[in-house]
Amino acid sequence: MKQKYNVTGMTCTACSAHVEKAVGQVDGVRSVNVNLMANSMLVDYDEGAVTPDAIVHAVEDAGYGAAPAGGTAAKAAQAKGPDPLAEELKHMKFRLIVSFCFLIPLFYLSMGHMMGWPLPAIFHGTGNAMVYALTQLLLVLPILYVNDKYYKVGFKTLWKRAPNMDSLIALGSTAAVVYGLAALYQIGWGLGHGDTARVEKWSMDLYLESAGMILTLITLGKFLETRSRGKTGEAIARLMDLAPKTATVLRDGTEVEVPVEDVVVGDRVVVKPGGRIPVDGVVVEGWSSVDESALTGESIPVEKAPGSKVAAASINQSGSFTFEATRVGEDTTLAQMIRLVEEASASKAPIAKLADKVAGVFVPVVITIAVVTALVWLVVTGGDITRALTAGVAVLVISCPCALGLATPVAIMVGTGKGAENGILIKSAEALETLHTIDTVVLDKTGTLTEGKPVVTDLLPLGDTGAEELLCIAASLEQPSEHPLSSAIVTAAQERNIPLAPVEHFTALHGKGVKGAIQGGQFLAGNAALLREEGIGLSAAQARAEQLAAQGKTPLYFAEDGKLLGLIAVADQPKPTSAAAVAAFRALGIRVVMLTGDNARTAQAVGSALGVDEIVSEVLPQDKERQVAALQAQGRKVAMVGDGINDAPALARADVGLAIGAGTDVAIESADIVLMKSDLMDAVKAVQLSKAVIRNIKENLFWAFFYNVIGIPLAAGVWYPLLHVMLNPMFAAAAMSMSSVCVVTNALRLRFFRPKLPGVPEELVTPVLTQHQTEQGVCQTMTKKLIIEGMMCSHCTGRVEKALSALEGVSAVEMSLEGKSATVTLSADVSDDVLTKAVTDAGYEVLSVQ
């Protein structure tokens, strides 16, 4: 099983590496991932071979603390109590203030003689050397005391033979303090024996200010780093904040408000306008529009009616409704999203393995370098302890395993969080890294490139038959049928509010069509073969039918009493953004392959219209995995995008599997990445996010390695023969602090990630929602949303609705007083300026048109 643990005492990557190593050596532990960012650890272990107590004991033996994490992330979000990160920052801020309060006078006093600053007479002269030295000691002691954590953790881990960054700080500052104490004894000896030269020499080499400066600057750096690291988890925090604390349920016919934890499967939950949906469920009563943007990234509200699914954390916008709870607690969409994001943040990308290996041995190597440096300087300078100590302490303090260890996890955490904000759930860091290397994307046609359900695309009435009459007859005849093509025709009639006539003597003819009687007339509907069998001539529509078939559409013929009435074309239409997504993939240098079980003619029509590079038709579901494997055998890195149902084997086989349109079912085991919306453009965004994250990681790793490769030799004095400059430990401490801050700050830039679509025409990005063709021309239906300022009541919305409805080309207007918006459905092209003017003339201000 997998168990999450909270780990205490970790301060750098060396710590996390030692914890990981210690737990990994426990018999029965399959894998362990330590997340320094979240101070947590995810352990996969065999319950029969090892207990949680044994895992905790292994962590404690390594010099750290551990305890099983209680509950899910959603429960943790609801738990009362102080925020650990806020408490840590508060304590660090206190330490920082105290440190600076004593460091400033200490630094002024120690550097005053050198800089010519005015000092009280009591600190001047050889006779006052002991007063001068003791004052500096008294000023540094509070700094040592408030920052005792470095010593407690550093020496403890050193004793356990698992030194970390705190060990370096503790050794460096302790060496400086011990040197200062030795100087005090030298001054005392000199004053007691009249050795003025000894007193003057040692009173200028106390080194106590270096210890104080090291601890203060390190604490400043850690404070800035911790504050920045807190921002990396904002996406998870925002997800947690979405969880409602209470729910209104029906108990014995009465509405009762209960904690969300008390809601059980089967409960009837009431949601009022403006309220958040507490758990997942299915609407049983009422209608409304629901804002699901927090889960899917889709800004347009989704209409809900009886039978519609709703998900926790969505916001009810207009009407009230009642739904039956189907998923509660850890099983809700929100809880699964949080768990996926947390697990992805805790996982390690392959690119991080080198940094982890280096961090694991970094501290012991640095300690060895510091000791060797000090010994070499002692020999070279003929026993100059000051020079040797300066170089040794500088090496200890400038070395930064943190920058090395933070390079990958901070970018992964920010990147996965950013993905979640856009409805892209990344299950592992490995998938995120692999995605940036793909050169081929395989797309399933049905449900991925297309809507997944047929719709009426063309009406071709013949003779005296009108378009609406043809559709009425067709829908009436097809209504008793359960065939998907029949459903498309019935839906088209319902959308146009066309009344249907009753059918008598209905008969379904397998593989051909249907027949029945309507108001005494005998009607036929089906393919060309059926009508030829009945002796009905098709010449009037044959050419047009062949054109429609060439476009990948299915022509259906309709006849009455042996006379052809017309034909209706039905097709599974491409999604509005599919063409734009294909163009975006190609602009990124990725080859696009379409897999479909359709015949070659239909596949070619759809593929050509969308601009894919390769079309593979007549593929059975079980053969999709073989097609992906064949592409991999050619040396290609393949990403597979499918609906996660019959595409599961292919999703698992691909280098990266992306399940599209998961909606409320995010637990698709076969996919590496889950796209919450049925929008292929999100797959493009996922690729671009992957490229941005990996680029950021490489920048961080370069800086971390570059800093240490340059900094350590500089501190050791390797460049002294050329530059004749020794690096003061105080500057080394400042450099070390800033290196970690730079890495974290660079990673935080990913919060501003915006996908770019190079080479994609603007018209492809703007979707046309529905499109119907008639013999007279093309009729396009699209919607625009106007954000309007100044509407205060229902009279206001009424005036705006009246003004917009009066415009030619506006077929419907939906007003939202709460959302301060108007959604207009257009049957013809109406410019934004015309819409804006109509609202302005009505006395209101349009802020934006979407």
Side-chain angles (χ1 to χ4, degrees):
M1 67 169 291
K2 287 186 177 181
Q3 172 73 48
K4 185 179 178 182
Y5 293 80
N6 294 324
V7 183
T8 58
M10 296 191 300
T11 57
C12 71
T13 343
C15 301
S16 59
H18 289 309
V19 171
E20 202 164 288
K21 183 178 179 181
V23 176
Q25 291 175 343
V26 177
D27 291 335
V29 172
R30 300 188 190 97
S31 66
V32 54
N33 270 321
V34 177
N35 187 348
L36 176 65
M37 304 292 298
N39 287 313
S40 65
M41 170 178 68
L42 188 65
V43 184
D44 184 6
Y45 63 94
D46 182 358
E47 292 178 273
V50 65
T51 64
D53 289 341
I55 293 172
V56 170
H57 186 65
V59 176
E60 291 173 346
D61 282 348
Y64 306 90
T72 62
K75 289 182 181 177
Q78 296 166 7
K80 301 290 184 181
D83 179 6
L85 180 63
E87 287 293 304
E88 183 182 0
L89 280 171
K90 181 180 177 182
H91 183 58
M92 291 180 76
K93 188 175 182 180
F94 169 76
R95 285 166 47 197
L96 198 58
I97 292 171
V98 172
S99 297
F100 270 111
C101 285
F102 287 93
L103 176 67
I104 292 171
L106 173 62
F107 187 75
Y108 186 91
L109 182 62
S110 63
M111 303 298 289
H113 294 95
M114 185 187 304
M115 306 299 294
W117 295 336
L119 289 171
I122 195 173
F123 297 123
H124 286 285
T126 306
N128 292 322
M130 185 56 75
V131 175
Y132 175 73
L134 284 173
T135 303
Q136 288 192 44
L137 178 63
L138 292 173
L139 287 171
V140 82
L141 286 176
I143 301 175
L144 300 175
Y145 178 74
V146 296
N147 294 295
D148 62 346
K149 178 185 176 183
Y150 296 122
Y151 301 102
K152 290 177 179 177
V153 176
F155 286 124
K156 181 181 179 182
T157 54
L158 189 62
W159 177 258
K160 296 279 188 179
R161 290 183 296 178
N164 62 2
M165 191 196 75
D166 287 349
S167 303
L168 298 179
I169 298 167
L171 286 172
S173 58
T174 299
V177 172
V178 169
Y179 184 85
L181 292 174
L184 274 171
Y185 279 94
Q186 290 284 355
I187 291 169
W189 175 270
L191 289 173
H193 292 78
D195 189 345
T196 305
R198 182 185 294 267
V199 173
E200 289 178 350
K201 176 183 181 301
W202 287 99
S203 61
M204 291 298 104
D205 282 333
L206 286 170
Y207 241 115
L208 293 172
E209 79 284 353
S210 291
M213 184 67 79
I214 289 169
L215 292 172
T216 303
L217 290 178
I218 295 294
T219 303
L220 173 63
K222 296 296 283 184
F223 174 76
L224 295 174
E225 176 192 325
T226 304
R227 191 172 65 173
S228 298
R229 276 169 45 186
K231 295 178 182 178
T232 64
E234 283 182 354
I236 295 176
R238 278 196 290 268
L239 285 175
M240 290 179 176
D241 289 340
L242 294 174
K245 305 297 185 291
T246 60
T248 303
V249 299
L250 290 175
R251 298 277 165 87
D252 299 325
T254 305
E255 293 184 8
V256 181
E257 188 170 301
V258 300
V260 73
E261 296 91 343
D262 294 343
V263 179
V264 297
V265 174
D267 271 347
R268 295 292 176 99
V269 184
V270 179
V271 184
K272 302 291 177 63
R276 283 192 185 274
I277 297 169
V279 295
D280 293 3
V282 177
V283 177
V284 294
E285 183 182 335
W287 286 265
S288 183
S289 59
V290 174
D291 180 1
E292 297 180 341
S293 58
L295 301 177
T296 65
E298 177 57 66
S299 59
I300 300 174
V302 181
E303 297 298 322
K304 300 294 181 182
S308 301
K309 292 181 179 181
V310 291
S314 303
I315 301 174
N316 181 27
Q317 289 201 323
S318 51
S320 298
F321 64 88
T322 302
F323 72 92
E324 182 175 312
T326 56
R327 291 179 177 179
V328 300
E330 299 179 16
D331 297 327
T332 65
T333 302
L334 179 65
Q336 292 184 55
M337 284 181 66
I338 294 171
R339 185 166 65 249
L340 283 177
V341 175
E342 284 185 331
E343 288 180 1
S345 299
S347 63
K348 281 190 171 62
I351 196 172
K353 290 179 180 177
L354 174 61
D356 284 348
K357 288 180 180 178
V358 173
V361 297
F362 187 86
V363 176
V365 169
V366 167
I367 293 174
T368 304
I369 293 173
V371 171
V372 171
T373 298
L375 292 175
V376 169
W377 274 99
L378 271 175
V379 173
V380 171
T381 58
D384 189 336
I385 298 176
T386 304
R387 286 276 186 88
L389 185 64
T390 297
V393 172
V395 169
L396 288 172
V397 173
I398 201 171
S399 308
C400 188
C402 281
L404 208 54
L406 290 170
T408 301
V410 287
I412 293 293
M413 178 171 275
V414 178
T416 52
K418 194 66 185 176
E421 288 179 9
N422 289 278
I424 303 168
L425 299 184
I426 301 160
K427 289 187 176 182
S428 69
E430 184 174 359
L432 184 63
E433 179 179 344
T434 306
L435 190 58
H436 93 286
T437 65
I438 66 162
D439 53 30
T440 304
V441 61
V442 176
L443 306 175
D444 176 50
K445 181 184 82 74
T446 306
T448 300
L449 283 166
T450 65
E451 296 287 359
K453 60 179 181 180
V455 295
V456 172
T457 58
D458 300 81
L459 293 171
L460 184 61
L462 299 174
D464 297 333
T465 308
E468 287 201 359
E469 182 185 356
L470 175 62
L471 188 56
C472 176
I473 293 169
S476 300
L477 191 58
E478 298 282 6
Q479 189 175 21
S481 174
E482 296 180 355
H483 196 281
L485 299 184
S486 301
S487 300
I489 293 172
V490 173
T491 300
Q494 290 173 342
E495 287 175 351
R496 299 190 181 192
N497 297 317
I498 295 175
L500 304 185
V503 179
E504 297 176 343
H505 311 300
F506 175 82
T507 305
L509 306 171
H510 182 68
K512 297 179 180 179
V514 298
K515 64 181 180 178
I518 301 176
Q519 297 177 352
Q522 297 297 318
F523 290 86
L524 280 174
N527 56 25
L530 174 63
L531 272 71
R532 288 195 185 100
E533 284 182 9
E534 298 292 333
I536 299 172
L538 305 178
S539 57
Q542 189 69 37
R544 181 64 175 143
E546 289 179 358
Q547 288 178 1
L548 293 170
Q551 296 170 13
K553 301 173 182 178
T554 302
L556 300 174
Y557 297 88
F558 295 86
E560 177 186 8
D561 297 329
K563 175 187 175 184
L564 186 64
L565 297 177
L567 62 84
I568 296 177
V570 179
D572 182 8
Q573 287 285 75
K575 291 179 181 177
T577 58
S578 291
V582 170
F585 275 127
R586 297 183 67 183
L588 291 170
I590 297 172
R591 182 175 177 79
V592 182
V593 178
M594 184 184 82
L595 291 185
T596 178
D598 288 346
N599 60 65
R601 189 176 188 180
T602 301
Q604 188 65 42
V606 175
S608 299
L610 295 177
V612 301
D613 296 296
E614 183 179 344
I615 301 166
V616 183
S617 59
E618 300 178 8
V619 178
L620 297 174
Q622 59 267 32
D623 293 333
K624 291 181 181 179
E625 183 266 347
R626 195 175 302 138
Q627 293 291 336
V628 171
L631 289 169
Q632 291 173 322
Q634 298 172 18
R636 295 186 172 276
K637 282 281 189 179
V638 181
M640 169 73 188
V641 186
D643 58 16
I645 301 170
N646 60 1
D647 301 318
L651 288 169
R653 164 65 68 178
D655 295 287
V656 182
L658 297 93
I660 190 171
T664 57
D665 186 14
V666 299
I668 298 178
E669 295 298 328
S670 54
D672 302 298
I673 296 173
V674 178
L675 308 177
M676 296 293 288
K677 289 185 291 182
S678 294
D679 190 346
L680 189 58
M681 196 63 76
D682 282 350
V684 179
K685 293 177 184 177
V687 173
Q688 292 194 320
L689 178 63
S690 170
K691 290 179 180 293
V693 170
I694 299 305
R695 183 168 58 248
N696 191 280
I697 289 174
K698 288 178 177 178
E699 291 168 356
N700 286 344
L701 286 174
F702 171 78
W703 165 250
F705 277 111
F706 174 80
Y707 165 81
N708 282 292
V709 167
I710 298 298
I712 292 176
L714 179 63
V718 172
W719 313 117
Y720 184 79
L722 294 174
L723 306 176
H724 299 286
V725 174
M726 290 290 291
L727 185 65
N728 190 297
M730 292 185 287
F731 294 111
M736 194 277 267
S737 297
M738 289 303 104
S739 65
S740 297
V741 174
C742 288
V743 165
V744 175
T745 303
N746 186 49
L748 287 175
R749 291 191 304 112
L750 287 170
R751 293 194 302 165
F752 307 107
F753 166 78
R754 291 289 183 277
K756 298 177 182 177
L757 303 175
V760 179
E762 184 64 30
E763 60 269 20
L764 291 179
V765 182
T766 306
V768 176
L769 298 185
T770 57
Q771 176 173 308
H772 301 289
Q773 290 185 351
T774 67
E775 60 178 344
Q776 285 79 24
V778 178
C779 174
Q780 295 183 344
T781 306
M782 64 179 297
T783 61
K784 291 186 178 183
K785 185 176 182 180
L786 288 76
I787 306 301
I788 303 170
E789 182 68 31
M791 296 192 300
M792 305 299 290
C793 64
S794 57
H795 297 293
C796 299
T797 57
R799 281 194 290 272
V800 173
E801 184 175 2
K802 183 178 179 181
L804 290 171
S805 299
L807 295 175
E808 186 177 348
V810 175
S811 57
V813 180
E814 183 181 341
M815 301 300 302
S816 172
L817 181 58
E818 285 185 2
K820 305 292 184 186
S821 66
T823 302
V824 294
T825 303
L826 307 176
S827 57
D829 186 24
V830 181
S831 70
D832 294 352
D833 292 339
V834 172
L835 294 171
T836 302
K837 186 177 185 302
V839 176
T840 305
D841 290 346
Y844 304 92
E845 180 185 358
V846 177
L847 299 181
S848 65
V849 181
Q850 300 172 359

